[in-house]
Amino acid sequence: MTALENLSKLLSRLPGVGPKSASRIAFSLINTSKDYNELLAKSIAEIKDRIRPCSICGSFSETEICPVCSDAMRDRTQLCIVEQPQDVITIQASGAYNGLFHVLGGAINPLNGVGPENLSFDKLIQRINEGSFKEIIIATNPTEEGDTTALYIRHILKDREGLSLTRLASGLPIGGDLEYADRTTLTRSFRGRIQF
Amino acid sequence: MTALENLSKLLSRLPGVGPKSASRIAFSLINTSKDYNELLAKSIAEIKDRIRPCSICGSFSETEICPVCSDAMRDRTQLCIVEQPQDVITIQASGAYNGLFHVLGGAINPLNGVGPENLSFDKLIQRINEGSFKEIIIATNPTEEGDTTALYIRHILKDREGLSLTRLASGLPIGGDLEYADRTTLTRSFRGRIQF
């Protein structure tokens, strides 16, 4: 195997990179600057050592406690529960939310052997007991697993006084087109229709 | 900038990788094995040192003379002229051709300041003078620049006796659909229609 084939093969294991784009990227790396290639290589080699889970919320962090958890300006009465660390970054990038996060580390999926005991529910309960949360926003994915996980969260938290439970709205994506909406999304946007 | 943002930014400079896929790839590299990340990093850092242009045909090679040029089993009466080293690999992968190659290093493009003098035409003439070619297959891209380059090649080679000049057929891609064919492709496939 030549160096180019070897590089293409390694690249094709990245998400969203098929054999054709892998070889296109490999070719491009012959023409990019040596400095860029070395920076990229260093960044890839080091990323796993640089990033760890935040010891409070479980999202990606370069420090023991992540910038969100240690930010005194965040609203400490709101807790947004997500499946993955990536979700924190997506929500943060939207600027739509200013409270705290809790990363479950996945969703309940009995078929894949993922039960509540495999997710960070113990820590969630502990945080809610020790914190001053007034609202828990469930932001699991609008999928079967995400729905199951949302129901489970409701089940374990529903009897707490003074704690409001909400879930992110599902419906037509903004800028989308009715014509291309799938049936489930359309059904959900009918069920969740609001006064206008 | 965090390590993740930095990695995403570097990745987003690769061809076909937008900001969203860059961050998806960056996230995935937190979950891949350390061995894989190190192999990938090493491969990226070294690729420019491993690959050089073949001193005969100009395609990518890890040796002074590339495997195609040094392969005694190839047909040395056929020479296929392509724009880029990538084209050699694409044609090689197809298995459709068993002759030699010549890489021009681009196509004639006056608007971008690329004239014949910027491409490896001197070397092409020298190879044809010294070689035993009977057919020159022009495999420049079916674009305006590729067409111009093909015409130029015809201009400089047309008076050579015993040298046949051909160009790759243009037309509907196999497996394609008439409905989605653009007008130029359709026009070309009408002009190039064959007895059936």
Side-chain angles (χ1 to χ4, degrees), chain B residues 20-82:
Chain B
K20 285 226 169 180
S21 23
S23 88
R24 191 164 157 230
I25 293 172
F27 287 140
S28 82
L29 287 166
I30 296 175
N31 299 316
T32 44
S33 77
K34 196 152 175 57
D35 283 356
Y36 167 77
N37 289 13
E38 277 167 5
L39 274 175
L40 177 60
K42 190 163 173 279
S43 184
I44 290 172
E46 287 176 356
I47 193 70
K48 279 179 85 83
D49 296 329
R50 298 282 297 273
I51 304 289
R52 70 185 97 178
C54 164
S55 64
I56 297 177
C57 72
S59 82
F60 292 140
S61 179
E62 291 186 48
T63 44
E64 172 73 21
I65 294 171
C66 77
V68 173
C69 285
S70 55
D71 183 351
M73 302 298 288
R74 310 277 306 192
D75 184 345
R76 285 169 189 276
T77 66
Q78 289 187 313
L79 184 66
C80 177
I81 304 178
V82 297

Side-chain angles (χ1 to χ4, degrees), chain A residues 39-103:
Chain A
L39 273 176
L40 177 60
K42 191 162 172 280
S43 184
I44 289 171
E46 288 176 357
I47 193 71
K48 280 179 85 84
D49 297 329
R50 297 283 298 273
I51 303 288
R52 71 186 96 177
C54 165
S55 64
I56 297 177
C57 73
S59 81
F60 292 140
S61 180
E62 289 186 50
T63 43
E64 172 72 21
I65 293 170
C66 77
V68 173
C69 287
S70 54
D71 183 350
M73 301 300 287
R74 309 279 306 193
D75 184 345
R76 284 167 191 276
T77 67
Q78 289 187 314
L79 184 67
C80 178
I81 304 179
V82 296
E83 295 180 16
Q84 301 291 355
Q86 290 92 309
D87 302 329
V88 173
I89 296 177
T90 308
I91 294 173
Q92 279 289 86
S94 76
Y97 177 68
N98 191 42
L100 301 179
F101 289 97
H102 188 80
V103 178

